[in-house]
Amino acid sequence: MKEHKLSGPSTDPALLIPSLGPLYDRATPISYALLRIAFGLTILTHGIPKILNRPHGSMADPMAGTTHLIETALHLPFAPQLAFFVALLETFGAAAVALGAATRLLAPMLAVQMAFICVAIGPTYPWIDRGIEYPVILGFIALLISFQGGGRWSVDSWIGKAL
């Protein structure tokens, strides 16, 4: 499977210390895998409490909180069913992304979820004060993973198939 670099050769500037080139070449796939794993595990910490019906941070009932947010802030129908889908995506989808499995299928879903979270909490979670910057950066990381795929150190690469 062809390795996709974060930047192509035509856009790479000349290195001030050319001897660092091999280090960067070796470290790029590993650092990308670590970013993908950290992203997946971060999202997973929000899915597990929903699935297990456990308190999470200041939320006594994260599933009810998610349902409430979908219903009142986003005004979407089928809020309980969408909240259940979110819980599944944040749990099993995030775990799969961390492992690099089906990343080009699941990461865009997580990017869309982060966009909806920004729309839902944006008016009440101003920048810096309560943390809207977290779903913003997580959304952009999910977008990066969507286009990069699992990378060299992933289940997708191991099985030799990706979207």
Side-chain angles (χ1 to χ4, degrees):
M1 187 161 91
K2 183 181 172 197
E3 176 78 22
H4 294 279
K5 290 180 68 172
L6 296 179
S7 62
S10 62
T11 60
D12 288 345
L15 294 174
L16 290 175
I17 306 171
S19 61
L20 289 175
L23 171 66
Y24 298 149
D25 290 341
R26 283 191 306 274
T28 297
I30 296 165
S31 62
Y32 176 70
L34 291 173
L35 176 70
R36 191 194 68 240
I37 292 164
F39 169 78
L41 294 177
T42 299
I43 300 298
L44 182 66
T45 65
H46 294 274
I48 289 174
K50 290 178 180 87
I51 294 290
L52 297 179
N53 198 27
R54 299 271 190 214
H56 176 65
S58 63
M59 296 178 80
D61 185 348
M63 194 65 157
T66 300
T67 304
H68 179 74
L69 192 66
I70 291 169
E71 215 167 39
T72 60
L74 296 173
H75 308 289
L76 295 173
F78 310 109
Q81 292 84 358
L82 286 172
F84 182 68
F85 176 75
V86 165
L88 292 175
L89 181 63
E90 288 179 347
T91 304
F92 301 106
V97 168
L99 294 170
T103 52
R104 287 197 170 120
L105 172 66
L106 297 166
M109 291 180 191
L110 290 163
V112 168
Q113 179 193 354
M114 292 302 120
F116 272 98
I117 289 171
C118 289
V119 167
I121 68 172
T124 59
Y125 275 55
W127 195 264
I128 298 173
D129 184 34
R130 299 222 25 220
I132 193 171
E133 64 270 18
Y134 296 110
V136 169
I137 194 65
L138 289 172
F140 280 103
I141 292 170
L143 190 61
L144 170 71
I145 294 168
S146 299
F147 290 108
Q148 290 293 121
R152 184 182 304 166
W153 302 101
S154 67
V155 170
D156 291 342
S157 179
W158 180 67
I159 63 173
K161 298 282 182 195
L163 289 176

